[in-house]
Amino acid sequence: MAQILPNTPIASTTTNAMRVFHLLRRLPDDDYFVWQRLHIWDRSGPDFWVLRNNRRAMLIKVSEANPGDVRARLQPALFAQTPPAPPPGCQEEEILAQFREQVALPGEPPLPAAVLFPSLPRAALQKFPPGDRPADALWLAKEELVPERFGNWLERHLSAPLSETAIARLREAFTPEVVIPATFTVREPIERRTGAELTGYLLDYRQEQVLKTDLDLSQDAHTVAREFGIRLVNGVAGSGKSLIIVYRAHLLRKLFPRKRILVLTHNRPLIRDLKARYRQLSNGDRKVQWYTFFGWCRRYWPESIPWQRTITFEKRQQLFTRAWHEHLADTAITEQMLQEETDWFKDRLLFGREDYLAADRTGRGFALSESMRHKVYDAMESYHQALRAQGLCDWGDVPRKMWRLLQAGRVRRHTYDVILVDEAQFFAPLWFEIIKLILKPATGYLFLVADPTQGFLKRRQSWLASGLEVRGRAHRLNKSYRTTREILNFATLLYRTRLPEDDDNEEIVAPNLMDMPSGALPVIIPLTSAQDEATRVLNEIRELVQAGVPLGYILIIHTDAREANRLLSRLRQTFGTGAAVDPGQVADSSGRIRVCSLHAATGLEAPIVFLMGVRGLYEAEQSVRLSESERAELIRDNTRKLYMACTRAGQRLVLTYVGEVPELLRGLISETGVTLS
């Protein structure tokens, strides 16, 4: 079958258009791409556009004429009735002519356009006088609309090969839903499409396929066997996953204005960015809900139940240290292992000692005997008792309480027709259990986008372990549009060098480095002290600003949140109070330098990225207090953090390193040509 977009007819498709849809789908798979027009911005225009792999094309308009329309046209001649009905096919020809005029380019071959009549036999069309039909019209009656005959006819009447510019112009006019404003990306201007007159970008074919998959959300589209519809998109950094979330929300609002749509992600800067892009794209539409997962929990928390204060990072460390000393100081279990085990416990539907003893811990990285599990549980319970005594709540307790409240019917159910999740690799199994509860049963649809190489918050987690069956429902995006070949190559080699075993992980998407734009090599700056590190970055930014680089082009990511705050203060002193912001603390960070920690950087992007404090990650990996399993897990987490941070950069990446650069980084420098400054 041919590749057709969308892959299913949308709910508003007429019976005749449906017949043509299935006819076009039966064209040879490797030869044809077919687009169905979504009549949501402009009701007029061709219904289908066919493109063969040799760049030959045709436009198609489907006529809704039936034998009754033919009789109405002929009756005035027989009975002197006025005014006569318009000839079937003529209005369609006028629509096609207007569209062809819109997309015509000098020097390009003429674009053929056909009118198909699925409800009219050849004999009915032949009853019209010659003046009712253009001499060069390509009209097909229902007898010709069978796979073999139609395929042969189409092959004979396709256009001569079109240029890439002409194809881009056709896509822009026929599918305006794939046009991306230049302000939505960090690409260089020279990477904008194929012609100087085209000032934005277009989603590529693979991105459009993902965007338009399963657009029929009618009840009939779901099988009885499925609890709900689900799609997963795995993609490399910069492959347009977040963009697809925004555009899919926009499409669904246009196609299904009465359906309730919720978009979720894990951090505030990202959800604010997504929401801002959507508002710009939709001219201010406010019907789609945009929340972090915890933001949604807070929004719909019952008013009758007090919201407890959440514990600070420092206080959390104190309470875990106390619990560890009381129960585990004489064991091989470290404080860090206790914290990670507690988080793992909270992320699942485990609510007591018996649940924990029976839980499958496969993949946790360290084994626990039954007696050791009892000790670990005692330590976890000691930590929880200390929380309760101080009237505090751990962030991991919020979804647990929300799940219980939903089960007990104490939360008014705000069920959704569609839930879209960005950065789904960071969502815990329990979070997905809550999502299932607020998704409409039978007809609800869950759309996930993820990058497994960045999943450092919820470790060793499969989709099946999260209660999601995605086999046969997954897509891959392996081409990055955010960054350059040099930056992505450096980030990928860094990842593979530190985690060679991940090459065998089928969930990891290998990036396609072919046809990527080239740019400046990443720069690594070795320094002697943390003070020198901050000063050097300030000087680098000062030079950029003097060269005319806008402040909003710069993103600084620091591995240490406290150092990030100190740097933020120095930037404000140097460039002005409003020159730099923490994107997690403000609603709008546009036009200003953004400074954040590693955990807050996911989903952000900028033309120029400074990555600071890298030494801290390497030093933590060398701690003598770590077991080998802990060290391996920490290296995994740090590697994914570094990969994520590097791939935030669109055009330039600068890493700073205090002290002697490690051997691994030196090896990458020689292999990738990275500049050591």
Side-chain angles (χ1 to χ4, degrees), residues 41 64 186 221 415 429 440:
W41 287 277
E64 297 299 322
V186 295
T415 56
K440 283 189 176 179

Tab-separated table of all heavy atoms in Angstrom, residues 41 64 186 221 415 429 440:
chain	number	residue	atom	x	y	z
A	41	TRP	N	-8.604	24.833	7.616
A	41	TRP	CA	-8.288	26.245	7.490
A	41	TRP	C	-8.922	26.855	6.248
A	41	TRP	O	-9.337	27.997	6.270
A	41	TRP	CB	-6.768	26.448	7.437
A	41	TRP	CG	-6.122	26.246	8.759
A	41	TRP	CD1	-6.011	27.164	9.763
A	41	TRP	CD2	-5.548	25.051	9.271
A	41	TRP	NE1	-5.384	26.619	10.848
A	41	TRP	CE2	-5.079	25.316	10.577
A	41	TRP	CE3	-5.358	23.786	8.744
A	41	TRP	CZ2	-4.456	24.355	11.362
A	41	TRP	CZ3	-4.729	22.834	9.542
A	41	TRP	CH2	-4.292	23.110	10.820
A	64	GLU	N	-18.765	15.070	-5.599
A	64	GLU	CA	-19.860	14.441	-4.871
A	64	GLU	C	-21.093	14.260	-5.744
A	64	GLU	O	-22.158	13.868	-5.258
A	64	GLU	CB	-20.223	15.280	-3.642
A	64	GLU	CG	-19.105	15.402	-2.623
A	64	GLU	CD	-18.683	14.054	-2.052
A	64	GLU	OE1	-19.574	13.196	-1.824
A	64	GLU	OE2	-17.470	13.845	-1.859
A	186	VAL	N	15.706	26.847	16.533
A	186	VAL	CA	16.999	27.504	16.708
A	186	VAL	C	17.897	27.240	15.511
A	186	VAL	O	19.103	27.376	15.581
A	186	VAL	CB	17.691	27.029	18.010
A	186	VAL	CG1	16.891	27.443	19.228
A	186	VAL	CG2	17.901	25.511	18.009
A	221	ALA	N	-13.364	4.217	15.721
A	221	ALA	CA	-11.961	3.988	15.399
A	221	ALA	C	-11.269	3.088	16.405
A	221	ALA	O	-10.200	2.554	16.142
A	221	ALA	CB	-11.216	5.321	15.313
A	415	THR	N	-12.077	13.932	33.182
A	415	THR	CA	-11.625	12.985	32.180
A	415	THR	C	-11.355	13.686	30.853
A	415	THR	O	-12.003	14.662	30.498
A	415	THR	CB	-12.656	11.872	31.968
A	415	THR	OG1	-13.923	12.449	31.629
A	415	THR	CG2	-12.781	11.011	33.201
A	429	PRO	N	5.879	4.880	36.713
A	429	PRO	CA	4.721	4.003	36.499
A	429	PRO	C	3.455	4.491	37.196
A	429	PRO	O	2.362	4.407	36.623
A	429	PRO	CB	5.203	2.657	37.074
A	429	PRO	CG	6.684	2.691	36.892
A	429	PRO	CD	7.088	4.125	37.114
A	440	LYS	N	-10.542	9.063	29.215
A	440	LYS	CA	-11.849	8.468	28.978
A	440	LYS	C	-11.716	6.995	28.616
A	440	LYS	O	-10.954	6.642	27.712
A	440	LYS	CB	-12.599	9.209	27.871
A	440	LYS	CG	-13.201	10.525	28.313
A	440	LYS	CD	-14.117	11.107	27.251
A	440	LYS	CE	-14.791	12.374	27.774
A	440	LYS	NZ	-15.677	12.985	26.746
